[in-house]
Amino acid sequence: MYLYNLTLQNPTTIYQCISGNFSGTKSRPEVLVSHGRSLELFSYDDHGKLDSILYTEIFGTIRSMMPFRLTGGNKDYIIIGSDSGRVVILEYNPSKNQFDQVHQETFGRSGCRRIVPGQYLAVDPKGRAFMIGAIEKQKLVYILNRDSAAKLTISSPLEAHKSNTILFSMCGVDVGFENPIFATLSVDYSSELTFDVQELDSRGDQPLDSNGRKKMLTFYELDLGLNNVVRKWSDEVDFSSNIVMTVPGGSEGPGGVLICSENYLTYRNQSHPERRVRIPLRQGSNPNKGLLIVSHALHKQKDMFFFLIQSEIGDLYKVTLDYQAENVENIRVCYFDTIPVSSCINILKTGFFFSASEFGDHGFYYLNNLEVDESDQITGNDGIQWFPQHGELKNLLLTHSLDSLAPVMDFKVMDLVREENPQFYSLCGVSQNSSLKVLRHGLPVTQFADTPLPGVPSGIWTVPKPKSEMAKDDNSQIDKYIVVSFVGSTLVLAIEDEVKEVSDSGILDSTTTLLIKSVGADQDSIIQVYANGMRHIKADKRINEWRAPGKKTIVHACANQHQVVIALTGGELIYFEIDQAHNLVEIMKKDMRRDISSIEISPVPRGRQFSKFLAVSDWEGPVKVFSLDKENCLTQIALFDTDRQQVESLAMIEMPINEAGQERSHSTSNQIQSSQPGVLFLFVGLKNGVIKRATMDQETAELSDFRQRFLGRKPVKFFKIKVRSHSALLALSSRVWLTFSNQGRLEMKPISIEPLDNASSFASKEYPEAIVATSENSLKIFNVDRLSDLFNQVTVPLNYTPKRFIVHPQTNFIILLETETNYNTYSLSQEELNPVKKEENDMDTEEDSKDKTIYRPKIGGVGNWKSLIRLLDPVTNQTLDILELGLNEAALSLCTVNFGNEGEIYLAVGTGTGIILNPKSFQSASIHLYRFTQQGRKLELVYKTEVEEPVYALSSFQYKLAAGISHCLRIYEMGKKKLLRKCETKSLPNIITNIHSQGDRLVVSDVQESIHFVKYKKDENMMYVFADDSVPRYVTASCVLDYDTVAAADKFGNIYVVRLPLNVSDEVEEDPTGSKLRFESGYLNGAPHKLEQIANFYVGETVNTLCKVSLIIGGPEVILYTTLSGSIGALIPFTSREDVDLFSSLEIQMRQENPPLCGRDHLSYRSYYFPVKNVIDGDLCEQFSTLDPQKQRSISEELTRSPQEVLKKLQELRASKLI
Amino acid sequence: MSERESLNSQLEHLQMRYVGTGHADTTKYEWLSNQHRDTIASYIGHPSFVSLFAIAENESTGRIKYNLLNKMINPCGPPPKVDSTTKKDEDEDMD
């Protein structure tokens, strides 16, 4: 078995984010985020809408990331500390839209090791040097400079090691242009350092850990003259300190550092007294539990600076310093707002604020109020300042929310709503950000209007407002009319403040219109084509008419700004041009002698007046391309074979594309240079729902690089629209597809909207790139703005962290478990904790009403649990029933089970009460059995059965219930008052996490010891493990592929496939008494037989779920996996040996020619914990399309193919097996 | 003899360079502490591990990182008292 790994949905969680001016232009700063295994660059517009410009997999783990700028420069570089044992400096190249590696310095072994630097990065604020540190001991300093050619140079490393120290945080200290200083927070753990008890006593209330170790703030000075690093100053700080932050220095501030520790903020500097302030607390939080700061950001302007810091419960504080020159007098901390807990925050120079949530959606905000009202803060009796949480944001304005699936807790692909295409159901988020997200493949749309029309339209067009009617300096294009054609009539709607019907447009309204097109250099006149003729309506409303000759009528028409072609019945083509005097002039006629099914004229190339090509298709033959040149007008110059399929529609579009060996063009969304040539594509839509496309040479019309794809059951119709100010194509079949250029690649994505009949682009002031379309007899106006999304999401909010869900086999209702630990179950204690009683009551009521905006503090402590069972209707997304479990009872596992009594289906839920994870303990455990009542809409408890240990796995098995009770696998039958034990085996090693049943076999996964195959002997009523794995795997998810094969994932991020050897499988089946295997034992207490590993792959993130599905109706089955970082990936089995050879040699070539960006070796990355086996990395192979043409050529030569063939192969594999 | 010396010096060099390299007199406690520190360092280095723990404990990732770093200081608790009785116990364990 060979598998091909492809990422379907990129990871959405963000671990680090930085902002800076990476493209080096004077535009707005960009935001660069790290998804752990990939980098993504965002830009944003004036309204604060983020737009992904570039996404790159780096095949490594990013651990730290910092921007820096050389003195006097205007471009930010990026330093990346990863697991590669190297430090890499990247530069964003906006013209190629890629990251260039500027420097790569090796310092240690690869992997996330304790003493290999990469975990921490600190940059000198003036960009002269940076320090890269490991968790323990090693710190290296590199000096950055410029050479004579103004290129960035990097020095050899200077060591600042200190043995036996654990590093907590570091930052650069702002010292202006004096020698750079780096500050670190560290603890020395060497064993000599022990205090005797008396000394401990004399230290008073200073917080200490058990062994009296001290946390030290150390300043390292880089002496640029002597070229060495010395420890300059070291002093003790709070033991709970975890973050050290740079305070602006030199001319901009006092310098020094701010240290965050539990509950306190401290200002420290060399030869400066310590300044300390207590962080205000939110009402209702526990003053005895330390409050930790988890993220911070600095905003610096010419005359002021401030910090925003976020606590672990989500409160943002604004921190300012009162200072005179270098003397800091006071630190002010005041409550700012509350947003979801972030892993990283950034303040952008333009006043925007990016918060990368650790779980759930990320927010992009505008700081709209910096003058924070401090009057809310009340000083309690104990000297602590308390504040009430803002019910809604007061000082921030959310402008954009980036959807994030992370963490995906459970995931299933099913068609519960009977929609033809399956939906993706995923349980996402933690605590109050929990939700069930239903994903459907397709771009999300925002619909503004949906109005009924008097009939079923046959066509719709928009007419832009002529330049003459617009304000002089207004370059925006907006539309003037929407023209809707019906059978026998045409409706003209003028777009002003409101849309209304008009009759003064000059458009003939008593006939069916075939085409409306605005023509002329300024697009000030309109061409209307109808069956009997053609109207040319000039800017001054003069009308020229052209009548169809004799009894012939016009059947098809196409036009661009200067040319019009019409097709008459009988197959006659007539070609018109609009001359200098704005008159429509007939140029040429040609009789095709066959009825024509579609015609299309190519767009006018830039800098020219007329386009050169016309594509024509008749009802039988191939698509013919004619020249429109003066010399050989209407002579055939190219042919597009359609395999005798009837052509419905044609389109020619020029798009800025990088691939297919074309010269690169600017592809950054908004930075396209008008002079850049695009690539001309010819699209052919067939009656049978297939779209074909070819690349067309701009000069010779030579066609190359043919591709095709099935779109839907209906004939394909094309409509040209605008996306990101470029031409794009809307292909309508039984689904709506959008073809556009995204990050320099041609992409084709479905749109989540009902089937449409006609469409046109629509531009108005607010929505410059909307689409107006008709569906049956309604008119819709909508916008597709989130083009990088693959899925459109429906979110159903949940109360607590979701755990697992199943689907009822008969009613299709979703049954899900929500289980949250560390939950504050004692409502009384909150009142006790709160010193301001009156406010407390207000807050309680508020909490009910604004459940989503109030962030509950985590003060429950270990062993406190809250859980519920929810029954949900997937069609309406309505909750049908909720059963809250008892105090501290955690729901852990569930399954539906049929005990064989009249086919009634029960729900079994495994629970544990008062579970403490580490060290493991619990109070009690049980299995609950529920009955479905009221047509499955309600749950009713039948009984609870006490068991000895928490139940982490349940499965129905041959009309019985199989339960994993810690390490004991047991089979229950239904009794009158409780479940009855039938049979059990205790030979599993630790905790059973998952049970799959098939036939009389059970496939059981263990929390630490991989997969076990268990045989159940019905006659003897006994169970025994007959095969297990030879390597320890911490299994998180497993999925049965066939009777002998299991795919599983472990918590380190590996996916592997194990198979029972064929002879063992036969032997087990043929062993009638079971005695042979029952008493056979393996080595070292293992099972008698071992599973064979047949595939292994390291994904890079903890994989949480696995499932085997077919995503295309009738398509092949693939293994779909989801990760904690919110990515969805697939392992596709190869079907032919030829493909395996091709892709594995492509992978080898790619590894050599395109080494990963951050210096990690691809092969060793994919073999992180176990050697990669039989899995080819499609994500690497697909980077082929981003290589420059020369490299593409050299790689494809090695494969004895052309670059186009390789690209086609890559695209087909994704399109045919996935979505 | 000289070979042996060079071997020793090589070993010392390794021990200097790579923290956690064992030697003949490594105690069980030292060995175990090093194991734990290596493991925790790997947990902190892989961001998805930190998320995993954060979900399991329902804490913020910042808190989890902080706890893990703190744990690295003394992963196996305070060192055992070096006196004759424990020494004896350890020897027995070895047997």
Side-chain angles (χ1 to χ4, degrees):
Chain A
M1 182 161 80
Y2 286 88
L3 298 167
Y4 183 72
N5 170 65
L6 266 185
T7 302
L8 205 62
Q9 156 89 49
N10 295 328
T12 50
T13 188
I14 295 175
Y15 296 114
Q16 274 102 29
C17 60
I18 53 174
S19 67
N21 208 334
F22 301 115
S23 54
T25 52
K26 287 227 166 98
S27 60
R28 306 177 191 91
E30 290 111 357
V31 181
L32 179 70
V33 304
S34 139
H35 297 294
R37 60 175 225 212
S38 54
L39 288 170
E40 191 166 12
L41 189 65
F42 288 96
S43 69
Y44 57 91
D45 62 11
D46 295 331
H47 307 294
K49 288 264 173 290
L50 287 171
D51 185 23
S52 165
I53 314 176
L54 176 61
Y55 175 90
T56 323
E57 291 271 348
I58 61 132
F59 306 107
T61 306
I62 300 166
R63 298 158 78 194
S64 53
M65 195 159 77
M66 273 295 206
F68 78 94
R69 182 182 293 204
L70 291 171
T71 317
N74 59 356
K75 179 165 189 165
D76 285 306
Y77 292 88
I78 306 144
I79 312 175
I80 290 186
S82 66
D83 64 343
S84 59
R86 291 165 166 158
V87 63
V88 168
I89 298 182
L90 300 178
E91 180 184 5
Y92 175 62
N93 183 339
S95 61
K96 287 183 175 173
N97 193 27
Q98 67 179 38
F99 292 111
D100 291 339
Q101 204 185 64
V102 187
H103 286 290
Q104 171 174 304
E105 299 292 318
T106 311
F107 47 67
R109 297 162 74 190
S110 60
C112 293
R113 287 167 207 273
R114 181 170 150 202
I115 54 157
V116 179
Q119 185 68 34
Y120 300 103
L121 262 177
V123 178
D124 171 55
K126 291 282 178 277
R128 295 168 297 169
F130 70 89
M131 183 184 249
I132 184 162
I135 292 174
E136 187 176 324
K137 187 183 170 186
Q138 294 201 359
K139 291 180 280 298
L140 297 170
V141 177
Y142 288 88
I143 303 169
L144 301 164
N145 218 328
R146 241 181 290 213
D147 65 4
S148 50
K151 277 196 179 134
L152 179 71
T153 62
I154 188 165
S155 73
S156 45
L158 303 168
E159 291 185 357
H161 300 345
K162 187 166 185 297
S163 293
N164 302 334
T165 51
I166 307 288
L167 191 59
F168 278 72
S169 174
M170 68 185 193
C171 74
V173 180
D174 197 344
V175 287
F177 285 100
E178 287 172 36
N179 278 334
I181 290 179
F182 297 98
T184 64
L185 276 182
S186 58
V187 174
D188 193 316
Y189 70 78
S190 52
S191 51
E192 299 85 55
L193 238 169
T194 41
F195 292 78
D196 57 14
V197 183
Q198 280 182 351
E199 200 183 331
L200 278 177
D201 285 346
S202 65
R203 293 169 60 91
D205 58 348
Q206 184 82 8
L208 284 167
D209 90 328
S210 55
N211 277 303
R213 309 203 184 273
K214 292 191 265 186
K215 191 166 278 176
M216 307 299 285
L217 169 71
T218 311
F219 277 23
Y220 290 89
E221 183 178 5
L222 165 66
D223 194 322
L224 288 168
L226 295 170
N227 204 26
N228 68 356
V229 183
V230 286
R231 289 182 68 201
K232 203 181 177 199
W233 176 64
S234 191
D235 198 5
E236 190 182 344
V237 293
D238 267 0
F239 194 78
S240 63
S241 308
N242 67 329
I243 291 176
V244 53
M245 307 189 276
T246 313
V247 175
S251 57
E252 293 164 316
V257 291
L258 267 179
I259 294 167
C260 306
S261 46
E262 279 186 347
N263 290 332
Y264 285 96
L265 209 59
T266 317
Y267 174 81
R268 298 301 295 265
N269 201 356
Q270 210 178 336
S271 58
H272 186 288
E274 179 186 282
R275 301 278 181 240
R276 214 164 121 94
V277 66
R278 173 134 197 174
I279 300 169
L281 291 181
R282 185 203 296 177
Q283 287 169 5
S285 49
N286 183 350
N288 301 323
K289 192 193 173 198
L291 183 77
L292 207 64
I293 297 300
V294 292
S295 54
H296 60 96
L298 167 68
H299 182 71
K300 198 162 72 174
Q301 279 175 2
K302 277 219 173 74
D303 49 344
M304 57 86 92
F305 65 87
F306 66 88
F307 297 89
L308 282 182
I309 57 175
Q310 192 182 30
S311 75
E312 58 183 329
I313 57 172
D315 296 326
L316 280 173
Y317 301 90
K318 184 186 166 189
V319 180
T320 47
L321 301 179
D322 294 338
Y323 67 97
Q324 294 261 306
E326 290 192 350
N327 186 28
V328 174
E329 277 139 26
N330 196 10
I331 311 172
R332 284 171 191 278
V333 185
C334 47
Y335 171 60
F336 195 70
D337 252 331
T338 303
I339 57 171
V341 184
S342 65
S343 54
C344 201
I345 54 177
N346 268 116
I347 306 173
L348 281 72
K349 288 220 161 57
T350 41
F352 284 99
F353 172 76
F354 183 75
S355 159
S357 306
E358 50 178 32
F359 301 115
D361 300 350
H362 314 292
F364 195 57
Y365 303 87
Y366 187 70
L367 296 166
N368 65 346
N369 179 23
L370 292 177
E371 302 308 315
V372 186
D373 184 14
E374 283 178 57
S375 60
D376 289 358
Q377 284 176 204
I378 300 157
T379 311
N381 323 336
D382 41 5
I384 304 169
Q385 290 203 311
W386 297 86
F387 61 85
Q389 193 202 326
H390 295 167
E392 50 198 33
L393 295 178
K394 267 192 181 160
N395 302 313
L396 289 169
L397 182 78
L398 182 70
T399 59
H400 189 111
S401 167
L402 276 180
D403 287 341
S404 171
L405 292 180
V408 182
M409 307 297 282
D410 202 357
F411 179 80
K412 282 185 175 67
V413 180
M414 285 180 148
D415 185 12
L416 297 182
V417 203
R418 301 211 173 78
E419 261 178 359
E420 177 181 343
N421 289 302
Q423 305 94 46
F424 293 44
Y425 292 87
S426 62
L427 293 182
C428 303
V430 295
S431 198
Q432 57 259 83
N433 295 327
S434 309
S435 59
L436 168 74
K437 293 196 178 183
V438 186
L439 310 181
R440 287 177 175 84
H441 181 220
L443 293 168
V445 298
T446 332
Q447 191 163 320
F448 320 121
D450 187 359
T451 44
L453 289 168
V456 177
S458 62
I460 188 164
W461 300 269
T462 48
V463 178
K465 211 169 210 171
K467 284 263 154 59
S468 51
E469 290 180 26
M470 310 259 294
K472 263 247 167 85
D473 50 345
D474 193 357
N475 268 331
S476 61
Q477 276 200 342
I478 60 167
D479 285 334
K480 189 180 178 190
Y481 299 125
I482 298 175
V483 184
V484 190
S485 150
F486 301 94
V487 177
S489 72
T490 297
L491 183 70
V492 183
L493 302 166
I495 307 157
E496 269 149 31
D497 293 337
E498 55 188 80
V499 175
K500 60 170 189 264
E501 192 179 342
V502 289
S503 53
D504 62 345
S505 61
I507 291 171
L508 184 67
D509 56 5
S510 59
T511 180
T512 307
T513 304
L514 294 173
L515 179 74
I516 295 279
K517 176 83 188 167
S518 65
V519 294
D522 299 329
Q523 308 214 340
D524 50 2
S525 52
I526 303 169
I527 290 280
Q528 180 192 15
V529 184
Y530 45 89
N532 295 323
M534 183 157 57
R535 259 187 188 204
H536 184 202
I537 305 148
K538 295 200 173 172
D540 51 9
K541 296 270 155 77
R542 276 184 301 144
I543 295 171
N544 284 345
E545 271 194 66
W546 179 90
R547 293 203 169 278
K551 285 185 179 168
K552 287 188 172 175
T553 53
I554 304 174
V555 284
H556 294 285
C558 62
N560 59 30
Q561 285 172 24
H562 300 280
Q563 293 153 295
V564 183
V565 181
I566 55 170
L568 302 177
T569 44
E572 196 173 351
L573 284 178
I574 307 178
Y575 168 47
F576 298 88
E577 278 180 10
I578 293 176
D579 68 3
Q580 302 290 342
H582 298 285
N583 287 319
L584 196 65
V585 185
E586 186 179 325
I587 304 285
M588 193 80 175
K589 257 189 203 178
K590 187 178 176 104
D591 196 353
M592 301 289 293
R593 297 198 193 83
R594 275 174 172 180
D595 267 342
I596 286 164
S597 66
S598 181
I599 54 176
E600 166 72 5
I601 191 163
S602 62
V604 180
R606 279 181 215 284
R608 304 179 69 141
Q609 208 158 20
F610 298 109
S611 83
K612 288 166 66 175
F613 311 123
L614 173 75
V616 180
S617 65
D618 53 43
W619 290 108
E620 295 162 34
V623 178
K624 292 168 184 152
V625 180
F626 293 99
S627 167
L628 294 178
D629 268 348
K630 292 276 178 303
E631 298 87 59
N632 49 359
C633 198
L634 292 182
T635 49
Q636 184 179 324
I637 47 174
L639 206 70
F640 190 127
D641 193 21
T642 57
D643 308 324
R644 297 185 168 273
Q645 292 293 331
Q646 290 188 357
V647 177
E648 170 74 21
S649 180
L650 292 167
M652 278 194 265
I653 281 201
E654 192 181 316
M655 284 194 245
I657 300 296
N658 286 345
E659 63 181 45
Q662 302 289 336
E663 287 306 309
R664 274 174 185 276
S665 59
H666 285 242
S667 53
T668 325
S669 58
N670 298 320
Q671 293 169 342
I672 303 286
Q673 304 293 308
S674 51
S675 58
Q676 289 291 333
V679 180
L680 187 64
F681 290 100
L682 171 62
F683 292 91
V684 179
L686 302 178
K687 269 258 187 300
N688 59 2
V690 170
I691 182 173
K692 283 177 177 255
R693 109 176 186 222
T695 312
M696 198 168 182
D697 189 283
Q698 297 263 27
E699 293 301 319
T700 63
E702 191 190 335
L703 297 170
S704 59
D705 192 15
F706 297 90
R707 311 268 175 99
Q708 70 170 34
R709 186 164 183 175
F710 177 69
L711 297 190
R713 285 170 279 104
K714 291 205 295 192
V716 182
K717 286 206 281 184
F718 294 129
F719 297 92
K720 283 182 250 183
I721 54 161
K722 291 249 172 203
V723 165
R724 289 177 177 157
S725 62
H726 294 291
S727 308
L729 188 71
L730 207 60
L732 309 183
S733 178
S734 56
R735 289 183 94 179
V736 181
W737 294 75
L738 181 65
T739 307
F740 61 105
S741 126
N742 190 22
Q743 299 190 0
R745 262 167 284 171
L746 190 73
E747 288 204 21
M748 187 162 208
K749 291 179 174 176
I751 297 179
S752 282
I753 196 160
E754 61 201 271
L756 302 175
D757 300 328
N758 299 288
S760 173
S761 64
F762 175 76
S764 65
K765 275 239 159 57
E766 297 88 48
Y767 310 108
E769 283 176 357
I771 297 166
V772 57
T774 64
S775 167
E776 301 285 312
N777 64 342
S778 65
L779 180 83
K780 291 172 192 301
I781 301 176
F782 60 92
N783 204 353
V784 185
D785 46 1
R786 280 144 59 182
L787 291 164
S788 42
D789 289 9
L790 185 64
F791 297 103
N792 111 69
Q793 305 183 351
V794 177
T795 304
V796 184
L798 304 176
N799 294 7
Y800 314 116
T801 309
K803 187 137 187 113
R804 285 181 187 182
F805 79 97
I806 53 169
V807 174
H808 191 280
Q810 291 166 347
T811 56
N812 274 359
F813 291 150
I814 291 173
I815 308 148
L816 60 89
L817 295 184
E818 294 168 40
T819 304
E820 191 165 323
T821 181
N822 197 8
Y823 186 82
N824 179 19
T825 42
Y826 306 104
S827 53
L828 262 178
S829 68
Q830 216 179 39
E831 231 165 81
E832 282 167 16
L833 292 168
N834 204 313
V836 195
K837 282 249 160 70
K838 205 178 146 215
E839 300 269 336
E840 165 66 24
N841 295 336
D842 292 352
M843 202 181 120
D844 258 355
T845 49
E846 220 174 357
E847 195 155 24
D848 295 332
S849 58
K850 286 168 188 155
D851 202 26
K852 277 280 124 181
T853 50
I854 301 280
Y855 295 94
R856 40 182 193 246
K858 292 164 180 169
I859 52 172
V862 289
N864 286 336
W865 295 79
K866 186 85 184 159
S867 46
L868 59 82
I869 306 164
R870 186 191 291 261
L871 196 62
L872 198 105
D873 183 356
V875 179
T876 57
N877 291 331
Q878 298 252 302
T879 299
L880 301 172
D881 197 10
I882 286 186
L883 285 182
E884 296 250 4
L885 295 192
L887 189 66
N888 292 340
E889 188 165 24
L892 303 168
S893 54
L894 80 169
C895 77
T896 50
V897 57
N898 178 357
F899 287 106
N901 39 358
E902 294 146 17
E904 186 176 358
I905 287 178
Y906 293 88
L907 171 71
V909 177
T911 70
T913 305
I915 298 173
I916 294 171
L917 298 170
N918 188 22
K920 227 160 60 178
S921 75
F922 67 98
Q923 286 159 5
S924 64
S926 62
I927 300 174
H928 299 192
L929 198 69
Y930 296 94
R931 170 180 286 134
F932 292 91
T933 56
Q934 299 179 18
Q935 292 93 42
R937 294 177 161 268
K938 287 276 178 272
L939 285 171
E940 185 187 288
L941 183 69
V942 183
Y943 48 65
K944 295 179 185 177
T945 309
E946 287 283 315
V947 291
E948 313 89 80
E949 290 200 65
V951 188
Y952 284 99
L954 284 173
S955 168
S956 83
F957 175 67
Q958 299 184 347
Y959 297 114
K960 295 179 191 71
L961 178 69
I965 298 159
S966 198
H967 68 289
C968 166
L969 178 66
R970 188 176 294 161
I971 288 178
Y972 283 101
E973 261 178 16
M974 195 180 173
K976 281 240 160 66
K977 289 196 170 153
K978 58 192 259 182
L979 293 167
L980 307 172
R981 293 182 199 192
K982 281 290 147 192
C983 145
E984 71 173 18
T985 172
K986 285 190 171 163
S987 48
L988 286 135
N990 302 298
I991 296 174
I992 297 169
T993 54
N994 215 335
I995 305 172
H996 300 281
S997 66
Q998 44 177 352
D1000 50 8
R1001 276 186 197 172
L1002 286 158
V1003 179
V1004 177
S1005 54
D1006 184 81
V1007 75
Q1008 283 182 16
E1009 296 280 346
S1010 194
I1011 302 289
H1012 297 256
F1013 275 68
V1014 178
K1015 175 94 178 165
Y1016 174 68
K1017 284 278 168 198
K1018 205 171 184 178
D1019 303 337
E1020 286 98 59
N1021 190 28
M1022 64 174 190
M1023 271 192 298
Y1024 52 90
V1025 177
F1026 67 90
D1028 64 7
D1029 201 354
S1030 50
V1031 279
R1033 300 269 198 171
Y1034 289 56
V1035 179
T1036 51
S1038 58
C1039 155
V1040 176
L1041 300 185
D1042 64 34
Y1043 198 53
D1044 294 328
T1045 317
V1046 180
D1050 66 21
K1051 71 169 179 179
F1052 300 99
N1054 299 300
I1055 295 183
Y1056 64 104
V1057 181
V1058 285
R1059 179 173 284 168
L1060 198 62
L1062 196 64
N1063 59 332
V1064 178
S1065 182
D1066 293 346
E1067 224 174 286
V1068 173
E1069 297 305 309
E1070 285 161 10
D1071 181 22
T1073 58
S1075 54
K1076 194 173 160 204
L1077 279 162
R1078 175 85 175 84
F1079 298 105
E1080 206 175 335
S1081 69
Y1083 299 107
L1084 302 168
N1085 302 325
H1089 297 287
K1090 292 293 167 193
L1091 299 167
E1092 284 171 353
Q1093 179 178 296
I1094 54 172
N1096 184 68
F1097 186 74
Y1098 175 69
V1099 175
E1101 295 152 353
T1102 303
V1103 175
N1104 229 11
T1105 66
L1106 279 175
C1107 57
K1108 184 181 78 165
V1109 285
S1110 150
L1111 294 177
I1112 297 170
I1113 306 149
E1117 283 187 315
V1118 299
I1119 304 170
L1120 218 57
Y1121 61 84
T1122 62
T1123 70
L1124 273 189
S1125 314
S1127 67
I1128 304 173
L1131 294 170
I1132 304 167
F1134 278 109
T1135 42
S1136 80
R1137 184 77 217 181
E1138 200 183 326
D1139 281 356
V1140 176
D1141 291 343
L1142 172 68
F1143 282 99
S1144 54
S1145 44
L1146 175 62
E1147 190 187 28
I1148 292 166
Q1149 290 289 326
M1150 287 298 291
R1151 278 183 190 143
Q1152 281 170 0
E1153 299 292 318
N1154 182 38
L1157 196 61
C1158 292
R1160 188 85 162 102
D1161 180 54
H1162 179 266
L1163 183 60
S1164 78
Y1165 175 68
R1166 291 302 186 193
S1167 310
Y1168 216 117
Y1169 293 89
F1170 297 97
V1172 60
K1173 190 177 180 190
N1174 292 353
V1175 182
I1176 294 164
D1177 188 5
D1179 290 340
L1180 180 71
C1181 291
E1182 287 199 341
Q1183 284 196 348
F1184 180 80
S1185 66
T1186 62
L1187 295 181
D1188 57 53
Q1190 228 172 350
K1191 265 192 183 161
Q1192 286 188 350
R1193 224 167 297 137
S1194 75
I1195 290 176
S1196 46
E1197 265 165 31
E1198 291 285 328
L1199 307 174
T1200 61
R1201 277 163 204 261
S1202 74
Q1204 281 86 347
E1205 280 175 325
V1206 176
L1207 286 167
K1208 189 176 171 182
K1209 199 87 194 165
L1210 285 167
Q1211 205 183 29
E1212 269 176 8
L1213 195 63
R1214 185 181 268 267
S1216 66
K1217 308 283 169 68
L1218 295 177
I1219 45 181
Chain B
M1 193 65 188
S2 66
E3 222 173 65
R4 194 181 175 130
E5 264 173 19
S6 85
L7 193 76
N8 266 338
S9 76
Q10 269 182 26
L11 206 64
E12 268 170 29
H13 176 73
L14 277 178
Q15 276 151 2
M16 278 267 286
R17 200 158 162 197
Y18 300 111
V19 177
T21 312
H23 49 84
D25 299 326
T26 308
T27 63
K28 202 171 168 182
Y29 171 80
E30 282 168 355
W31 178 82
L32 207 58
S33 296
N34 272 320
Q35 290 282 313
H36 277 260
R37 285 195 187 112
D38 286 342
T39 310
I40 295 170
S42 169
Y43 288 159
I44 299 170
H46 290 104
S48 92
F49 253 114
V50 179
S51 305
L52 183 74
F53 297 147
I55 296 164
E57 294 182 21
N58 198 17
E59 287 279 5
S60 68
T61 49
R63 169 67 74 174
I64 297 287
K65 254 188 216 170
Y66 170 74
N67 286 350
L68 285 172
L69 281 168
N70 269 342
K71 210 177 165 193
M72 266 183 92
I73 298 167
N74 256 335
C76 303
K81 292 222 171 63
V82 191
D83 59 27
S84 50
T85 49
T86 45
K87 188 96 187 192
K88 218 174 176 181
D89 282 348
E90 233 170 62
D91 289 345
E92 277 166 11
D93 275 358
M94 295 284 275
D95 297 331

